[in-house]
Amino acid sequence: MGVEIIGKMKFRAKLVDVGCLNHFTRVVNTISKLTKTCTLRLTTDNLFFMLSDKVANGGVSMWCELSQANFFDEFQLEGVSAEANEIYLEFQPENLSRALRTAQNAKSLKIKLTKKHCPCLTLAAELPSLSSVSRVVTHDIPVDVIPRRLWQDLKEPNVPEFDVSIYLPPLKTMKNVVDRMKNLSHHLVVEANLSGEMNLKIETDLVSVSTHFKDLGNPSWGDDASQGPSQDRAAEAMACARVDIKKLQQFLASQQVNPSKAMCNIVNKRMLHFILLHEDVSLQYFIPAVA
Amino acid sequence: MPLSTQSEAGDDQYVLVASLDNAKNLSNILKAITFKDHALFNATANGLKVTVEDSKCLQANAFIQAEIFQEFTIQEDSVSFQVNLTVLLDCLTIFGGSTVPGVTTALRMCYKGYGFPLTLFLEEGGVVTVCKINTQEPEDPIDFEFCSTNVTNKVILQSDSLKEAFSELDMTSEILQITMSPSQPYFRLSTFGNAGNAHYDYPKDSDMMELFQCTKTQTNRYKMSLLKPSTKALALSCKVSVRTDNRGFLSLQYLVRNDDGQICFVEYYCCPDEEVEEE
Amino acid sequence: MMHVSTERQRASATFQKFSQWLRESEARNGGFWGYSEVWYYGKQNNGTAIDLQTEIQSDAPHTTCEDRTSHKMDCMVTGGNVKVLAKAIHSLSRIGEELYLEPQEDGLALRTVNSSRSAYACFLFAPLFFQKYVPGRNPTFRCKMAVKCVQAVFRSLSSLEKTVERCHIELNVEKSRLTFTLHCKHGLLKTHNLSFQDSESLQAVFDKDSCPNILQAQPRLLVDTVLHFPPSLEEVSVSVSGERVWFRNHVEEEAERSRAMLTELCISAEEFEQFAVSAPTRITFCLKEMRGLLMFAESSGLPVSLYFDEPGRPVVLSLTDSVLEVNFVLATLSEESHPQNHDNTNTDRRARPPPPPDDFMNDDMDFLIAMETTELAAGGSGCSPPQAQDAGMSQLRTRAASEGEEEEEDREEEAEDTGRPPNKKFRSLFFGSVLPTSSQATNQTLRSQDVLASDSEDEDPESS
């Protein structure tokens, strides 16, 4: 077997604040509800949870970015090489979610990259105990290290040239409506205009249902090129996309944290691009349109 | 009312318009009779009656009087249509099953007549949903010919005591046997399942027994699969009356209080299981 | 109820050997009362239970109906004890499908065994547990029923304590039914007439007192422990040293092992009410069955004791108070099913449980990434020298703290590595080694490329 050593990697981090631990856990829970497998990218400043738009995912893709300093007290990383000081791992977020779940009352949580039976992300939590000696729970989560030559496929997606950008109504309301609509239809049309109006519509042989949201507001994107097509747009003209209702429902059901800002960019008949922003986490989710 | 901006030009095109400030006052009671997909709606000046039937042996009716509605306008003596009940319930609860206390979904239900869909306007927190549900040809409901003069035995119980029994019923038993008698065991529910048999006895002097009028000893058997759905109505109710007539037909009537404390009724009629001779 | 065997049986005893012993001991002790079937638990390396049973006919004659009429079983349970009885039945339902009920002189025994005969549970309620206890005289009534049927009598645990005043259990001879009558508030009477089958007595042979290892803890501690493992986890490994205990999920299938998430909880002996360990040991048994006991233990508040010996011999989980004795006997995996090198990093811990990870942050796990460049003809053996200067890097070894252990592990890892096909997937990972041993000539090349990692893996048993 021919091999070439390209470098060594090291990663370890420590988290002691209960609030940060809870927040981090909720982010991971959200990711685990969105996808079975995803890519974790570690840099010195950030963590990224990524899912690229393969056929296996039904065309959805996801990009979630966390600023590590807002969560971890210690964070040390040595990537594959000096100029590529990053680590890409593929793993099952459900495992991480499960490991974090039982560590919510931990005094401290340490995460590091290890080699056990295979490469692993090892979490060790120090838990309260009845004696002077803490209980320690260790979880070894198997990961696959993604070689550098595949990194180019995992770049941050560009904001698409959208036709309408609109702030979302309260996610809970949207979720309740989409939950019911899912019982009635396989597809749903999302439409919105630059007057802050958004409609969710389904239509089948048995029933048609449309829910109308008003006064949502439209975010301004500054002088981006993407503003171009929408500048000529009539205020009431709706841009729409027809999507698989299960994917939209899954996205809405996965949210564990209330975002400070939530918006949707619609590329007419092509795609829905959701952006959810919190203080220290941003999540982008892309759902393709179906015919 | 916010929904008035949603109505189409001229309400007089509708033969039926019914409005509720709290859609749950309709959806909750309909849940108590949702064991089949289709329901018959019949509206008269008295109010709304919704009927669901199963294999010509069981009939459930929900009555929502006109007084329960904030608006109830009917242009004909009787308006009937058939509609998919599960779809209707999904629409009535479009803003979610459980809501924040104090926040309700307002409903306006409109029907233009034969051949037209049933239109619902629902509003909560400024968000409006419009639903158009296709209707079908109404079928005549079965008349069980159950009248008070033929009632042989009647008891009225507080629902709480029966709720537990119904939820524990041995589902491996194909039948539910009801014994009513002026003497022991007074009122008994029995099952005959794989494990053996089980009996739930309510004495006539129990403080859960509000009325006890039994003239003769009667034991009747009913198909469990037909009666089990009545558990939903029982769960919603505060009192239930159990009556049997000289043919062994069973009438269960449930007194339901809605969110605003108003009273509605649900009733179930069931034929005895003919495979077994009366004991 | 519990038969104390005077001879230790090895888990690998053959059927013939065991039943031979049994016949001899029967002859010595003049036979056991009401005893017709005995099970001893052990598991072979493929995980199936050894079913060592012998059929010894009960010498009690079959009785006629008339005999039994005047001696029928009749018991009454009142108040909070109804819920205790109900919880016991729910707990038994987690182990087996049939409930064996036997009213004995020393109390009512409720027992079950699972279908593979690798788990046995017994609840013995003393006469004082009952407001009235009439077991019925000889011949003793013994029966078995589907546990689901008995559970149906006590379906809703939460409403039981609110509504049930007393529970009457009696044998209805004429109709061959065991009748459970619940007298509830508001005059409501619930009567369940359950059919049953006459049965043999169900007994397990085990000897708690001769177990060298005993742990006792409040149920809360064990409940908190199992919370760390998913409900679907089948088996758990428990390792003990003089000062600590480790709970680990056990991964059975070879194929799964490389992809399974491993969870380990380490608890200090100080948290236990009793902690007697004769020698470091590791046993593996079914977690689901232990959860069955814990669901009862948690509500009882009684401390749970674990009695165990070496792998292959059953573990007994037990709780007692003045009116109740509960024993769960679970088979453990025998030594043959713990292969030496199935996990290269978490190596054999039977003799050497790992040290606590006190210096987690300092024991780094650095490792190298190797990428397949071209397919060269090098073999998979760890010892082959590199084919080319910058390629063909062969496998490196970990360094253990002590030389002796290091070599042993080296050999283990080497053995495992040679098992890999030469053209492994490109994502291979290797350890870096700091101090090359004489067998690691290739490290010289590695060093020159300056990609050595620092210390060894933290799981290596450190020599003290």
Side-chain angles (χ1 to χ4, degrees), chain A residues 81-111:
Chain A
S81 70
E83 66 276 4
N85 197 22
E86 306 186 355
I87 299 176
Y88 282 64
L89 304 170
E90 191 173 281
F91 77 115
Q92 293 178 333
E94 173 57 34
N95 285 340
L96 185 56
S97 190
R98 202 151 52 75
L100 289 168
R101 191 173 308 150
T102 61
Q104 287 306 293
N105 57 346
K107 298 185 208 167
S108 72
L109 177 74
K110 296 165 184 166
I111 308 181

Side-chain angles (χ1 to χ4, degrees), chain C residues 26-154:
Chain C
E26 263 243 338
R28 266 200 308 279
N29 300 334
F32 296 116
W33 164 78
Y35 165 99
S36 55
E37 253 187 283
V38 162
W39 282 272
Y40 183 82
Y41 299 96
K43 262 189 170 177
Q44 282 181 315
N45 52 7
N46 60 353
T48 54
I50 300 171
D51 199 359
L52 301 173
Q53 59 172 296
T54 179
E55 290 180 41
I56 296 174
Q57 295 305 317
S58 161
D59 26 359
H62 277 296
T63 54
T64 59
C65 262
E66 291 86 61
D67 280 347
R68 289 153 85 174
T69 314
S70 54
H71 310 290
K72 68 179 181 123
M73 173 191 160
D74 190 349
C75 317
M76 180 84 77
V77 183
T78 56
N81 280 358
V82 178
K83 189 167 178 187
V84 176
L85 180 66
K87 286 213 115 173
I89 292 165
H90 285 285
S91 187
L92 287 165
S93 73
R94 303 284 277 258
I95 304 291
E97 290 183 359
E98 286 179 319
L99 177 70
Y100 289 72
L101 186 143
E102 183 171 349
Q104 301 166 176
E105 289 298 327
D106 59 346
L108 181 67
L110 300 179
R111 303 187 180 100
T112 192
V113 66
N114 70 356
S115 50
S116 56
R117 299 284 200 252
S118 59
Y120 159 95
C122 174
F123 283 77
L124 178 65
F125 295 95
L128 282 178
F129 176 83
F130 302 86
Q131 193 188 64
K132 166 170 126 183
Y133 182 70
V134 174
R137 277 175 271 150
N138 251 340
T140 317
F141 164 69
R142 286 193 294 268
C143 72
K144 64 178 181 181
M145 296 163 282
V147 72
K148 276 196 173 46
C149 298
V150 192
Q151 264 185 303
V153 177
F154 303 99

Side-chain angles (χ1 to χ4, degrees), chain A residues 56-72:
Chain A
N57 307 330
V60 299
S61 55
M62 170 189 78
W63 180 271
C64 177
E65 187 174 323
L66 288 81
S67 157
Q68 66 82 354
N70 288 335
F71 293 90
F72 297 93

Side-chain angles (χ1 to χ4, degrees), chain A residues 164 191-197 199 233-239:
Chain A
V164 167
E191 60 178 28
N193 63 21
L194 291 173
S195 302
E197 294 174 336
N199 302 325
R233 206 178 171 80
E236 280 81 41
M238 292 279 179

Side-chain angles (χ1 to χ4, degrees), chain C residues 375-396:
Chain C
E375 282 166 14
L376 298 179
S381 162
C383 279
S384 61
Q387 300 292 315
Q389 201 178 26
D390 59 346
M393 176 50 63
S394 57
Q395 320 229 350
L396 306 170

